[in-house]
C-alpha cells in the first residue's frame, strides 16, 4: 500500500486545504515575533520559510536564511506530545451532595488535529507514548481518543540541528513507520518539491485531490543520498552498546557528583523531552466548596516533592534527581517499556542552562565506570 | 503479575481507570490514638463484592482533600466489606478519620502485586510487621489462619512504638491463645505497666521458631526495619528468593502513568508494592534511588 | 532430664569450642531460677556471671529518678544475658529483672575470667563469641533509637 507521490509547493497548499476540509486543525511550525513554536497553520505562508535553528549546549538561535525551504527549521523547544497528552486535563469533577458527592465525567471531545512537520525523532517519541498510554494495561482515555483522531505528517531531516544524535538512537533522520504521510522537502536545480510517502489509509484519502506526479526511482535514490548526508551531520553521538547494563552497574559512581555540582534541578530537560511523561494529579475545590475538580498536570521528577512520602522526599539531592532522570532516559525506560527513553533529539542539551550534555555524561560513566 | 483493573466505572463503553467509584462508610474504628480502620461498602448497595488479593491497595479519595494509597487490611475471603487501616498523618487521612457511617468516599483499585500466598504452602511462614505494616500483612494472616493445615509453622513478629500503639489487640490476643500460631509482640519503648517484650522487632528473628531451610517470610514496615530484618533472616540461612517485602513510594495515579512511584526500573504501584527480595536487593541498598 | 553439659554443648553459642574448654565451662555452670520481678543483677555491681536463658523473659532496665525503672530491652529463650563480666571494669551497666518466671543457666564469670588469664586461647574464643552479641545489641539499640514508627510531626 506504501507508495510515493511528488508534488510542488502548490500541492502542499492543497494538502493543507484537504486536511482542513476533512475537519483537521493543522498544527505546524511557526516563527512569530522571533520566537519559534508550533501553532495553527492554514497556508504555506504561515510556514517558517528560510528559518533555521542553530543549536548547541545551552544555545538556541533562530536565523533567517535565503533558502526557500519551509522545513529548514528542525524542532522547537516543545515536542508534539502535548497535543495527544495535554499539559493539563480535568479528569473528572465531584459535586457535593448530602453526606457525600457525585461524580461528573468530563468527556474528551474528539478534535482532530493534523500534526504537520513532526521530525522522525519526535515521531518515535509519540510511538513510545503509544506504549505507555495506548497499548497498555490501563490505557488513557484522553490519549486514546486524541491519538485515534490525529493525522501525523513527518518531515525527514535533510539539515540536522547542532545537538541532534538521532543516528545513535536509531530514530532518524528518516521516518520509517508510524506516520500518515512522510514528507521529504527537496530544493534542487530550480525545483522545489515534496516527496510524500503514504503511510495510512486516511492519508490515501487525503491525497486523492492533490495534483501530483509519480515518483521516479532516481528521486527515491535522491532521498536516500540526502539522508546519508544528514547522518554524517549529527551534532552529537552516543554509544548505546550495552549502555543500560553499564549504567545499572554504576548507580553510585563518583561521576554523578560532578554532574550534581552543576545541575540546579531546574527541570528544563524534562519539559522539552519527547519521552518524558510524568504527571501529577491535583484537587481543586471552588470557593463554595460545592464542586471539586481532579486535574492532571505535567510534572517533573526534578521537583522536590516528586518523591515525597510521609516523613520526607526520597530524592532530595540534585545528585539523586539528575541520576534518576538520566537512568530513566537511558536505562530504566528500556526495562519499563521495552524501548529506550531517548530519541536523540538533543533538546535537553540545547535547553540545559548549565550546559549539561546527556551524551557526555553517559559517555563519562562508560569510560570511568565499573566494567563488571 | 499483572492485575487487571476493573473499576466497573465505564462511560461510553471505555473503562476510565482514573475515575473513582463511590463507596459508603459502614464503620470507622479507632484502633489507637492515630490509627483507624474504615469498613466500606459500594454506594449503590447492589454491586457485587469487591475482590482483591492480600497485599494490594486502593486509592481512596476524600472530597475536598485528595486521594492517597491505602493498603487493604481486610480478609480477601470476605469481600463484601472493604477494609482499610491507616495512620492519620496528613490532611487527607486526618479528614478520613472524621468520617461517619453513611459518608461517601471514592475508591479506585485494587492495585499492585499481592503477597505470594501460593509460595507459602507447605512451608514455615514468618510475618514481620513494623508499625502500620501490620495492616497489609493482616490480610495474608487471615488467609493462612483460614487454611491453617496448608502451612508449616506460622509465626508473627510484630513491633511497634509503645504498648498504646499496638494494633488489632483483640485479634492478636485471639491468635496468641491458639496452640498452632506463634505470636510475638514487642515495643520499642515500654510505658506504664507493660510486662511484655521490649526491643526492636528485628531482634526477634534470631530466636523465632522456624526452619530456615523451608521458610518464606513476608516483611512490611519502615524501610530501615525491613532492611535490618532481612539481615537477620539471611544470618539464619533464609535465601533472598524466600523473602518478600512491601515497598512504599509516592503514588498519584496507581496505574503506572504518573511516574511518581518509580523505584529504579519498577513502578511500585504495579510492579509492587510486594517484591521478592532477590529482585530488588541491589536497588534497596542504593541511597535515594 | 537433660544435664547442663549436653545443653551447653548443643547451644550455638558454644559451638566449635575445644573439648577441654567446653568441659571447663560446664564446670562453671549451674542452673538458676528467678521468679517474676526478681533481679538477676543490679547496675554498678560486680559482674561475675553471664546467663543463657532456657525459659522465660529477662528485661534490661535503666532506673531514672523521675521515671523509675525503664525497660530498654528484653531477652528471651535461647539468648545470652550479660557481657560485662568479660569487659573491664567488670561492672553491670543495667539492672536485669525477670519479667516472668525464668529458668537460666548461670555461668561463673569470675572463675572463667581467671581461667582466661591463664589460658588466653580460651579468652580469645569467648571474646570472639561475645563480640557479635555486643554488636547485635548495639545495632538493635540504634534502630530502636530511630523511633521508626513515630509520628513525623
Amino acid at each position: 500500500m506504501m507508495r510515493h507521490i511528488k508534488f510542488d509547493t502548490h500541492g502542499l497548499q492543497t494538502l493543507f486545504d484537504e486536511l482542513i476540509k476533512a475537519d483537521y486543525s493543522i498544527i505546524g511550525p511557526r516563527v512569530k515575533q522571533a520566537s519559534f513554536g508550533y501553532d495553527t497553520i492554514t497556508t504555506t505562508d504561515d510556514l517558517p520559510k528560510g528559518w533555521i535553528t542553530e543549536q548547541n549546549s545551552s544555545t538556541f538561535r533562530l536565523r533567517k536564511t535565503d533558502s526557500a525551504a519551509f522545513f529548514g527549521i528542525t524542532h522547537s523547544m516543545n515536542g508534539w506530545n502535548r497535543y495527544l497528552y495535554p499539559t493539563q486535563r480535568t479528569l473528572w469533577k465531584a459535586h457535593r451532595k448530602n453526606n457525600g458527592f457525585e461524580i461528573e465525567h468530563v468527556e474528551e471531545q474528539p478534535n482532530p488535529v493534523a500534526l504537520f512537520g513532526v521530525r522522525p525523532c519526535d515521531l518515535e517519541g509519540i510511538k513510545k507514548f503509544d506504549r505507555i498510554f495506548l497499548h497498555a494495561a490501563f490505557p488513557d482515555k484522553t490519549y486514546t481518543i486524541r491519538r485515534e483522531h490525529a493525522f501525523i505528517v513527518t518531515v525527514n531531516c535533510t539539515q540536522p540541528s547542532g545537538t541532534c544524535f538521532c543516528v545513535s538512537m536509531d530514530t532518524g533522520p528518516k521516518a520509517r513507520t508510524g506516520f500518515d504521510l512522510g514528507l521529504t522537502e527537496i530544493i534542487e536545480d530550480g525545483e522545489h518539491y515534496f516527496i510524500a510517502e503514504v503511510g495510512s489509509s486516511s492519508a490515501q484519502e487525503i491525497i486523492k485531490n492533490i495534483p501530483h506526479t509519480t515518483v521516479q526511482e532516481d528521486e527515491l535514490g535522491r532521498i536516500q543520498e540526502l539522508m546519508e548526508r544528514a547522518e554524517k551531520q549529527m551534532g552529537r553521538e552516543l554509544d548505546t552498546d550495552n549502555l543500560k547494563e553499564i549504567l545499572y552497574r554504576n548507580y553510585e559512581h563518583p561521576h554523578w557528583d560532578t554532574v550534581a555540582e552543576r545541575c540546579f534541578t531546574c527541570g528544563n530537560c524534562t519539559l522539552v523531552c519527547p519521552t518524558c511523561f510524568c504527571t501529577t494529579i491535583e484537587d481543586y475545590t471552588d470557593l463554595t466548596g460545592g464542586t471539586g475538580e481532579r486535574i492532571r498536570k505535567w510534572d517533573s521528577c526534578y521537583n522536590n516533592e516528586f518523591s515525597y512520602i510521609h516523613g520526607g522526599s526520597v530524592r532530595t539531592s540534585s545528585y539523586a534527581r539528575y541520576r534518576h532522570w538520566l537512568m530513566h532516559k537511558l536505562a530504566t525506560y528500556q526495562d519499563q517499556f521495552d524501548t529506550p527513553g531517548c530519541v536523540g533529539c538533543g533538546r535537553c542539551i540545547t535547553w540545559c542552562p548549565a550546559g549539561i550534555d546527556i551524551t557526555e555524561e553517559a559517555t563519562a560513566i562508560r569510560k570511568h565506570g565499573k566494567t563488571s | 503479575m499483572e492485575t487487571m483493573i476493573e473499576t466497573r466505572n465505564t462511560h461510553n463503553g471505555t473503562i476510565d481507570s482514573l475515575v473513582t467509584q463511590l463507596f459508603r462508610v459502614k464503620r470507622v474504628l479507632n484502633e489507637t490514638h492515630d490509627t483507624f480502620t474504615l469498613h466500606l461498602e459500594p454506594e449503590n448497595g447492589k454491586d457485587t463484592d469487591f475482590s482483591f488479593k492480600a497485599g494490594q491497595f486502593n486509592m481512596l479519595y476524600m472530597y475536598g482533600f485528595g486521594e492517597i494509597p491505602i493498603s487493604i487490611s481486610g480478609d480477601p475471603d470476605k469481600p463484601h466489606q472493604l477494609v482499610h487501616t491507616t495512620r492519620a498523618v496528613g490532611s487527607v487521612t486526618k479528614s478520613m478519620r472524621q468520617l461517619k457511617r453513611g459518608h461517601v468516599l471514592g475508591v479506585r483499585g485494587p492495585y499492585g502485586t499481592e503477597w505470594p500466598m501460593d509460595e507459602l504452602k507447605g512451608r514455615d511462614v514468618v510475618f514481620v510487621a513494623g508499625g502500620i505494616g501490620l495492616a497489609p500483612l493482616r490480610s495474608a494472616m487471615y488467609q493462612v489462619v483460614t487454611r491453617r493445615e496448608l502451612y508449616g509453622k506460622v509465626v508473627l513478629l510484630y513491633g511497634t512504638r509503645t504498648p498504646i500503639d499496638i494494633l488489632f489487640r483483640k485479634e492478636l490476643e485471639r491468635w496468641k491463645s491458639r496452640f498452632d500460631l506463634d505470636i510475638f509482640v514487642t515495643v520499642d519503648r515500654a510505658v506504664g505497666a507493660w510486662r511484655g517484650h521490649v526491643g526492636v522487632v528485628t531482634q526477634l528473628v534470631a530466636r523465632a521458631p522456624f526452619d530456615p531451610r523451608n521458610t518464606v517470610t513476608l516483611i512490611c514496615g519502615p524501610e530501615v526495619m525491613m532492611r535490618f530484618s532481612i539481615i537477620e533472616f539471611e544470618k539464619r540461612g533464609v535465601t533472598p528468593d524466600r523473602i518478600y517485602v512491601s515497598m512504599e513510594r509516592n503514588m498519584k495515579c496507581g496505574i503506572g502513568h504518573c511516574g511518581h512511584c518509580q523505584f529504579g526500573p519498577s513502578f511500585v504501584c504495579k510492579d509492587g508494592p510486594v517484591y521478592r527480595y532477590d529482585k530488588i536487593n541491589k536497588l534497596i541498598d542504593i541511597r535515594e534511588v | 532430664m537433660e544435664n547442663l553439659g549436653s545443653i551447653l554443648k548443643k547451644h550455638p553459642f558454644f559451638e566449635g569450642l575445644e573439648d577441654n574448654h567446653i568441659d571447663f565451662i560446664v564446670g562453671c555452670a549451674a542452673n538458676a531460677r528467678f521468679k517474676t520481678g526478681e533481679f538477676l543483677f543490679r547496675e554498678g555491681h560486680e559482674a561475675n556471671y553471664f546467663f543463657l536463658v532456657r525459659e522465660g523473659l529477662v528485661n534490661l532496665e535503666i532506673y531514672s529518678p523521675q521515671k523509675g525503672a525503664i525497660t530498654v530491652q528484653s531477652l528471651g529463650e535461647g539468648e545470652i544475658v550479660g557481657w560485662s563480666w568479660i569487659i573491664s571494669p567488670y561492672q553491670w551497666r543495667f539492672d536485669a529483672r525477670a519479667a516472668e518466671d525464668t529458668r537460666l543457666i548461670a555461668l561463673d564469670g569470675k572463675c572463667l575470667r581467671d581461667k582466661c588469664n591463664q589460658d588466653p586461647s580460651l579468652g580469645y574464643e569467648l571474646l570472639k563469641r561475645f563480640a557479635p552479641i555486643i554488636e547485635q545489641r548495639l545495632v538493635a539499640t540504634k534502630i530502636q533509637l530511630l523511633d521508626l514508627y513515630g509520628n513525623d510531626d
Side-chain angles (χ1 to χ4, degrees):
Chain A
M1 199 267 289
M2 278 282 189
R3 67 174 195 128
H4 297 80
I5 60 166
K6 173 180 168 183
F7 52 81
D8 61 12
T9 56
H10 296 294
L12 183 66
Q13 183 59 56
T14 313
L15 175 55
F16 284 177
D17 298 334
E18 288 301 304
L19 284 168
I20 292 170
K21 253 201 294 191
D23 276 331
Y24 285 101
S25 323
I26 309 176
I27 310 274
R30 299 199 67 160
V31 171
K32 281 197 288 196
Q33 293 167 318
S35 166
F36 167 39
Y38 301 126
D39 206 346
T40 323
I41 55 177
T42 49
T43 80
T44 55
D45 291 333
D46 293 332
L47 292 170
K49 180 163 148 179
W51 286 94
I52 60 164
T53 63
E54 287 171 349
Q55 300 193 34
N56 212 331
S57 276
S58 301
T59 310
F60 183 92
R61 297 281 181 274
L62 275 179
R63 198 156 64 82
K64 186 88 161 52
T65 67
D66 295 325
S67 165
F70 290 125
F71 299 102
I73 209 161
T74 46
H75 46 46
S76 150
M77 173 173 80
N78 293 318
W80 298 84
N81 300 36
R82 63 188 55 212
Y83 301 107
L84 304 171
Y85 196 62
T87 56
Q88 191 165 301
R89 174 68 166 84
T90 297
L91 297 174
W92 45 271
K93 295 188 184 174
H95 300 284
R96 195 194 275 287
K97 184 188 88 162
N98 303 330
N99 280 333
F101 56 95
E102 59 187 11
I103 300 202
E104 179 197 326
H105 290 258
V106 175
E107 289 313 308
E108 177 68 31
Q109 300 307 326
N111 185 15
V113 281
L115 304 179
F116 209 108
V118 178
R119 295 298 170 170
C121 55
D122 286 336
L123 175 63
E124 292 303 312
I126 292 175
K127 282 152 87 170
K128 287 174 210 294
F129 266 49
D130 289 347
R131 287 184 196 228
I132 306 168
F133 300 115
L134 195 57
H135 313 298
F138 303 114
D140 181 70
K141 234 177 87 174
T142 305
Y143 189 85
T144 305
I145 292 173
R146 289 189 179 211
R147 185 72 172 90
E148 242 172 78
H149 291 96
F151 189 93
I152 299 180
V153 181
T154 55
V155 176
N156 293 329
C157 290
T158 49
Q159 289 166 255
S161 221
T163 51
C164 288
F165 57 104
C166 62
V167 170
S168 298
M169 304 312 296
D170 198 27
T171 55
K174 184 171 196 289
R176 275 169 247 151
T177 61
F179 49 78
D180 289 285
L181 274 178
L183 302 184
T184 310
E185 180 179 28
I186 303 178
I187 304 178
E188 266 168 13
D189 305 323
E191 235 198 311
H192 186 175
Y193 61 96
F194 296 85
I195 308 246
E197 190 175 346
V198 179
S200 70
S201 46
S202 358
Q204 199 76 44
E205 276 302 303
I206 294 283
I207 60 163
K208 274 219 267 259
N209 295 327
I210 301 178
H212 62 272
T213 57
T214 38
V215 174
Q216 307 304 319
E217 207 50 54
D218 62 306
E219 280 165 332
L220 284 179
R222 186 69 190 118
I223 297 182
Q224 192 52 34
E225 281 166 17
L226 287 169
M227 293 298 98
E228 279 167 17
R229 191 186 72 186
E231 279 170 21
K232 297 192 178 68
Q233 291 171 343
M234 291 289 124
R236 294 287 187 279
E237 80 182 292
L238 177 65
D239 181 359
T240 56
D241 183 35
N242 219 29
L243 183 57
K244 186 184 79 161
E245 282 70 28
I246 292 173
L247 288 171
Y248 274 138
R249 231 181 278 135
N250 289 287
Y251 246 114
E252 296 187 288
H253 192 272
H255 182 78
W256 298 109
D257 284 310
T258 69
V259 187
E261 279 164 21
R262 292 173 279 145
C263 171
F264 40 95
T265 65
C266 71
N268 269 12
C269 48
T270 57
L271 286 173
V272 301
C273 175
T275 68
C276 274
F277 58 85
C278 289
T279 51
T280 185
I281 302 184
E282 290 174 1
D283 288 281
Y284 295 91
T285 342
D286 67 359
L287 279 174
T288 68
T291 301
E293 216 175 319
R294 287 224 101 200
I295 300 185
R296 179 182 63 203
K297 295 181 178 179
W298 281 18
D299 197 1
S300 169
C301 54
Y302 283 96
N303 286 336
N304 205 8
E305 329 78 53
F306 188 82
S307 58
Y308 182 83
I309 42 180
H310 63 85
S313 292
V314 172
R315 289 185 286 272
T316 49
S317 64
S318 59
Y319 174 115
R321 285 181 267 168
Y322 181 80
R323 178 183 66 185
H324 172 85
W325 177 80
L326 191 141
M327 289 299 296
H328 201 204
K329 297 296 118 186
L330 300 178
T332 59
Y333 206 104
Q334 176 79 47
D335 282 336
Q336 290 167 354
F337 306 110
D338 208 22
T339 180
C342 175
V343 297
C345 70
R347 286 183 176 94
C348 56
I349 303 171
T350 300
W351 294 101
C352 173
I356 299 170
D357 184 326
I358 190 176
T359 60
E360 270 174 29
E361 304 311 327
T363 304
I365 303 258
R366 176 190 287 279
K367 201 159 125 196
H368 305 294
K370 281 193 286 204
T371 44
S372 58
Chain B
M1 185 183 132
E2 292 277 26
T3 31
M4 277 311 292
I5 194 230
E6 282 160 30
T7 58
R8 283 174 266 114
N9 209 349
T10 68
H11 206 76
N12 287 355
T14 53
I15 296 176
D16 193 336
S17 11
L18 287 170
V19 181
T20 198
Q21 276 179 271
L22 301 182
F23 273 68
R24 213 176 270 287
V25 176
K26 288 288 284 185
R27 230 174 133 204
V28 180
L29 269 168
N30 279 320
E31 305 279 354
T32 66
H33 63 104
D34 70 351
T35 307
F36 61 98
T37 296
L38 294 172
H39 290 246
L40 307 173
E41 266 184 359
E43 192 239 11
N44 57 25
K46 61 170 161 67
D47 258 339
T48 52
D49 301 332
F50 188 100
S51 105
F52 68 92
K53 300 252 166 55
Q56 291 191 301
F57 66 95
N58 281 322
M59 297 296 288
L60 296 191
Y61 170 78
M62 277 295 291
Y63 179 85
F65 287 92
E67 201 187 46
I68 47 162
I70 303 192
S71 296
I72 306 175
S73 60
D75 189 344
D77 291 322
K78 299 192 175 125
H80 50 277
Q81 262 197 11
L82 192 50
V83 184
H84 299 89
T85 304
T86 186
R87 274 175 68 207
V89 284
S91 58
V92 181
T93 41
K94 283 179 179 164
S95 69
M96 260 181 206
R97 188 167 44 169
Q98 310 304 324
L99 287 171
K100 300 272 183 294
R101 186 189 165 89
H103 284 174
V104 171
L105 46 67
V107 175
R108 278 196 302 125
Y111 297 131
T113 50
E114 68 257 30
W115 295 115
M117 303 311 293
D118 282 338
E119 292 299 309
L120 309 181
K121 294 186 181 155
R123 302 201 157 109
D124 289 351
V125 181
V126 184
F127 297 101
V128 186
I132 190 66
L134 183 56
L137 279 176
R138 186 174 73 162
S139 298
M141 186 74 174
Y142 281 143
Q143 297 216 282
V144 164
V145 170
T146 307
R147 298 166 188 73
R148 184 65 188 88
E149 69 283 0
L150 295 178
Y151 312 96
K153 296 206 83 98
V154 174
V155 181
L156 167 63
L157 307 176
Y158 169 46
T160 191
R161 195 172 188 228
T162 70
I164 62 168
D165 295 292
I166 295 175
L167 295 179
F168 315 137
R169 242 188 207 263
K170 288 213 173 61
E171 260 166 343
L172 288 174
E173 283 167 2
R174 212 173 345 115
W175 286 334
K176 199 168 168 68
S177 69
R178 287 173 63 139
F179 301 117
D180 59 355
L181 300 174
D182 288 300
I183 311 289
F184 299 93
V185 177
T186 185
V187 295
D188 278 4
R189 265 183 25 232
V191 289
W194 176 254
R195 291 282 168 265
H197 197 283
V198 175
V200 74
V201 70
T202 56
Q203 213 194 324
L204 298 177
V205 178
R207 297 270 152 246
F210 61 87
D211 178 1
R213 295 163 302 178
N214 196 31
T215 293
V216 177
T217 172
L218 311 185
I219 310 175
C220 184
E223 220 172 295
V224 171
M225 165 242 155
M226 292 199 296
R227 276 205 329 260
F228 281 92
S229 300
I230 291 169
I231 292 174
E232 295 302 315
F233 279 103
E234 290 189 313
K235 268 196 218 166
R236 281 192 65 174
V238 178
T239 52
D241 60 337
R242 297 273 176 90
I243 299 173
Y244 290 82
V245 296
S246 182
M247 295 299 296
E248 192 188 345
R249 283 294 184 269
N250 190 352
M251 288 185 197
K252 296 277 181 201
C253 72
I255 58 175
H257 282 192
C258 74
H260 282 243
C261 68
Q262 285 175 85
F263 172 51
S266 75
F267 291 92
V268 176
C269 68
K270 63 181 177 91
D271 306 311
V274 175
Y275 288 94
R276 205 173 78 180
Y277 176 60
D278 63 333
K279 307 260 192 235
I280 56 164
N281 59 357
K282 300 224 171 49
L283 271 182
I284 211 171
D285 284 332
I286 300 175
R287 289 181 174 201
E288 292 193 88
V289 83
Chain C
M1 214 178 86
E2 257 187 313
N3 65 43
L4 286 181
S6 56
I7 295 171
L8 289 175
K9 282 175 186 172
K10 275 203 294 216
H11 196 281
F13 184 77
F14 297 106
E15 207 181 294
L17 281 171
E18 280 169 29
D19 283 338
N20 62 323
H21 286 161
I22 190 76
D23 287 337
F24 186 85
I25 290 171
V26 173
C28 302
N31 275 313
R33 303 185 97 92
F34 292 89
K35 294 222 266 289
T36 306
E38 283 184 329
F39 282 100
L40 281 74
F41 50 80
R42 303 299 297 267
E43 183 188 329
H45 290 194
E46 199 177 313
N48 292 325
Y49 289 95
F50 69 98
F51 304 88
L52 165 60
V53 181
R54 290 186 64 184
E55 197 189 323
L57 194 68
V58 176
N59 277 348
L60 296 178
E61 295 175 356
I62 296 181
Y63 185 84
S64 102
Q66 306 99 311
K67 297 192 179 162
I70 304 168
T71 304
V72 293
Q73 207 160 59
S74 302
L75 299 167
E77 191 182 307
E79 297 194 88
I80 303 280
V81 182
W83 68 67
S84 302
W85 69 275
I86 203 174
I87 297 178
S88 169
Y90 317 120
Q91 261 176 22
W92 295 119
R93 295 283 163 245
F94 308 110
D95 293 331
R97 205 190 323 216
E100 45 192 70
D101 287 352
T102 301
R103 282 192 309 131
L104 319 102
I105 298 179
L107 294 112
D108 185 341
K110 184 154 194 197
C111 173
L112 275 171
R113 256 201 319 268
D114 294 336
K115 180 74 177 178
C116 289
N117 286 330
Q118 291 162 32
D119 180 359
S121 69
L122 171 61
Y124 177 59
E125 290 300 318
L126 286 173
L127 270 176
K128 260 201 308 195
R129 285 159 174 79
F130 271 95
I133 290 188
I134 299 170
E135 186 246 10
Q136 219 181 65
R137 302 284 156 84
L138 196 56
V139 169
T141 307
K142 287 183 176 180
I143 300 174
Q144 231 170 315
L145 284 172
L146 284 178
D147 196 20
L148 289 171
Y149 316 123
N151 229 326
D152 316 302
D153 297 344

